[in-house]
Amino acid sequence: MLTLHAAELLVTGPGSAPLAGGAVLVEGDRIARVGPYEDLAAGHSHARVRRWPGVLTPGLLVRGADELLERTYYPDDPYEVTELGADPISGGEALDALKLTESRWGHSARRGTQRLLARGVVAVCGRFTVAAVRTAVSRSGLAILPPAPYEGRPALDPFAGRESAAEAFHGVLEPGAAACFAVFAVADEAELLTRGATTCVATVIGGRLLHRRR
């Protein structure tokens, strides 16, 4: 099935010229074509159309995901937030006090991956040693890549500490590439870097819409 994802601005990758009124044509789990929406719509009139506000970019990459998902606990809302609060919990002493089982770590990782998907993340770098966590990440649809160097503390927002939005992009949107991209409710890359990944309105991995802001 063909799906045409159209946005106000299309950025296909680092250094590419933004295309106003651009679109990505997806067939299965791959990108079939990219270009102006009007051209793609005229040539594929039977494609399902999804129109998005803002900027469509490659999906994002998070480094240090093992720190974010195996050494950070995400309280279960609403069952734990009254006691623990809604913020992620990290630090050896605080985590030891929770006496977490592997099962609870797995459930926490599932909630963590939901936060990543809601920020346009499509791939994570890290070495997961807790089986339940690795299972949760694999089932989320996120690609798991080997550990990669990073500076400072890992963050749920891949734009944190970056000098340009493009530094957080994973891959390039081109024919034949995996259909992994995100859409952000901003006007351009500069605003995206300033406001961050919480402006994400949609995340697509392998052609599947895995996050959509309601």
Side-chain angles (χ1 to χ4, degrees), residues 168-192:
F169 293 166
H170 179 61
V172 176
L173 305 181
E174 60 185 1
C180 297
F181 50 87
V183 188
F184 302 90
V186 296
D188 52 31
E189 288 183 77
E191 185 181 357
L192 178 55

Side-chain angles (χ1 to χ4, degrees), residues 4-7 10 19 21-25 33-38 40-41 56:
L4 189 56
H5 294 265
L10 172 64
L19 175 62
V24 176
L25 182 67
R33 289 187 63 187
V34 297
Y37 167 75
E38 298 298 337
L40 296 184
L56 192 157

Side-chain angles (χ1 to χ4, degrees), residues 14-192:
S16 65
L19 175 62
V24 176
L25 182 67
V26 174
E27 182 172 16
D29 63 351
R30 295 283 156 178
I31 294 174
R33 289 187 63 187
V34 297
Y37 167 75
E38 298 298 337
D39 293 351
L40 296 184
H44 303 84
S45 59
H46 297 298
R48 176 177 59 181
V49 176
R50 292 190 183 274
R51 293 182 178 273
W52 303 107
V55 181
L56 192 157
T57 76
L60 307 183
L61 172 69
V62 159
R63 295 174 172 83
D66 43 356
E67 179 77 22
L68 291 172
L69 299 175
E70 286 193 341
R71 291 181 287 282
T72 305
Y73 183 75
Y74 300 89
D76 190 359
D77 186 10
Y79 303 106
E80 295 180 325
V81 296
T82 300
E83 176 185 357
L84 303 178
D87 294 335
I89 299 170
S90 59
E93 185 175 338
L95 292 174
D96 287 344
L98 295 178
K99 296 180 170 49
L100 297 170
T101 63
E102 181 172 329
S103 176
R104 287 183 70 189
W105 271 120
H107 290 306
S108 171
R110 179 178 54 80
R111 294 188 289 271
T113 60
Q114 290 171 349
R115 295 192 184 204
L116 292 171
L117 290 170
R119 288 164 173 77
V121 175
V122 300
V124 295
C125 294
R127 182 175 291 109
F128 300 103
T129 59
V130 179
V133 172
R134 184 175 182 86
T135 297
V137 179
S138 297
R139 289 179 175 175
S140 72
L142 294 168
I144 301 176
L145 306 179
Y150 59 89
E151 297 181 0
R153 297 189 62 183
L156 290 170
D157 188 332
F159 298 122
R162 302 291 183 185
E163 295 184 359
S164 70
E167 292 179 15
F169 293 166
H170 179 61
V172 176
L173 305 181
E174 60 185 1
C180 297
F181 50 87
V183 188
F184 302 90
V186 296
D188 52 31
E189 288 183 77
E191 185 181 357
L192 178 55

